[in-house]
Amino acid sequence: MTEQPRMNVESFNLDHRTVAAPYLRIADRKELPGGDVLTKFDMRFTQPNAEHLESETVHSLEHLMAEHLRNHTRDVLDVSPMGCRTGFYVLLVGDHTVEDVAPLLAATLEDVLAATEVPAANEVQCGWGAHHTLEGAQAAARAFLAEREQWGQVTAG
């Protein structure tokens, strides 16, 4: 494969052939003009170009993590699914490290496992309220947690 041009989107510059999911990495860090810092994490659940999360699983994990992560930190700005359905971006206010965010995400995934329903999974609070699976979200959370010791290793080898 020939050298790819440098892109504006950080993840487009990541060689997805070399990563080894699951992992947690800092995808971006920005200092805003007022001095505030934003840290964006790549929380990769499945191996790019080999596996993906089902659409309903992604949707339910998004609801569950967005709701429950805020119980563990006030720094959450956003939890967004990746379009490729291999993971999520977690955007936090502050200069965070993988080491200080990993326990928050683990606690959030434990909350997912303990959940009895997907928050806001109805047509009043969600644009596709019937498109959810608590069981799928819990299976993905369980699999990600089972590999916690590997979260810091982004590439194979």
Side-chain angles (χ1 to χ4, degrees):
M1 187 169 158
T2 60
E3 184 74 21
Q4 298 297 310
R6 188 88 182 139
M7 305 292 287
N8 292 323
V9 177
E10 184 276 340
S11 69
F12 294 168
N13 296 311
L14 176 68
D15 187 339
H16 287 73
R17 299 168 302 174
T18 65
V19 299
Y23 63 78
L24 178 64
R25 74 178 183 95
I26 293 174
D28 200 5
R29 183 179 275 124
K30 295 251 189 279
E31 184 171 340
L32 303 178
D36 291 323
V37 175
L38 301 178
T39 308
K40 178 175 141 182
F41 290 87
D42 171 346
M43 185 179 185
R44 195 71 61 142
F45 276 70
T46 65
Q47 185 61 35
N49 298 302
E51 304 169 294
H52 66 276
L53 298 168
E54 293 301 319
S55 184
E56 292 87 351
T57 297
V58 170
H59 193 189
S60 297
L61 274 171
E62 175 193 13
H63 278 231
L64 286 154
M65 290 193 313
E67 180 66 20
H68 291 291
L69 182 57
R70 287 171 167 86
N71 294 330
H72 300 287
T73 178
R74 296 176 52 132
D75 292 347
V76 178
L77 284 180
D78 192 37
V79 176
S80 302
M82 296 176 180
C84 60
R85 299 185 306 175
T86 61
F88 294 83
Y89 290 114
V90 178
L91 183 61
L92 303 174
V93 175
D95 190 8
H96 293 279
T97 65
V98 167
E99 293 75 22
D100 63 44
V101 170
L104 302 174
L105 293 172
T108 299
L109 293 176
E110 291 291 345
D111 294 341
V112 170
L113 294 179
T116 57
E117 65 182 8
V118 176
N122 60 70
E123 60 185 41
V124 172
Q125 297 173 293
C126 177
W128 196 3
H131 184 253
H132 287 279
T133 171
L134 177 60
E135 296 79 15
Q138 290 174 327
R142 193 173 298 107
F144 195 80
L145 280 169
E147 299 294 327
R148 184 170 179 188
E149 295 302 316
Q150 307 305 314
W151 289 3
Q153 185 174 336
V154 176
T155 57

